[in-house]
Amino acid sequence: DIGKAAEEYDQGGERERALETYTRALGVLVPLLEREPEGERRERLRRQVRGWMERAEELKEGCGTGTGRDGTG
């Protein structure tokens, strides 16, 4: 599972690889979430997507890709 791989890279300290893998996982899950009918499965997907999005943003800031909190970078 691509999302689990991202978590393993993250836990192993491979921040850039984790970010790339979270991004790919989100590219798969977000469209699925949009098509998923209301219910428990959709809520689980929504929580997973939210968590991975938040972590990807943290990694993005830490890797120096994109703009940091102070507006630089």
Side-chain angles (χ1 to χ4, degrees), residues 6 14 37 58 62 73:
E14 296 182 62
E58 292 170 1

Side-chain angles (χ1 to χ4, degrees), residues 26-69:
L26 290 166
V28 171
L29 278 185
V30 169
L32 290 176
L33 177 62
E34 292 171 354
R35 291 191 302 265
E36 186 67 31
E38 290 296 326
E40 181 58 33
R41 181 177 166 168
R42 182 178 179 140
E43 287 306 310
R44 282 193 309 251
L45 277 173
R46 188 182 323 235
R47 285 191 298 269
Q48 188 70 67
V49 164
R50 185 179 308 124
W52 286 349
M53 286 179 110
E54 289 172 0
R55 184 59 184 144
E57 286 298 318
E58 292 170 1
L59 288 170
K60 185 186 280 187
E61 290 177 8
C63 289
T65 56
T67 303
R69 290 177 192 256

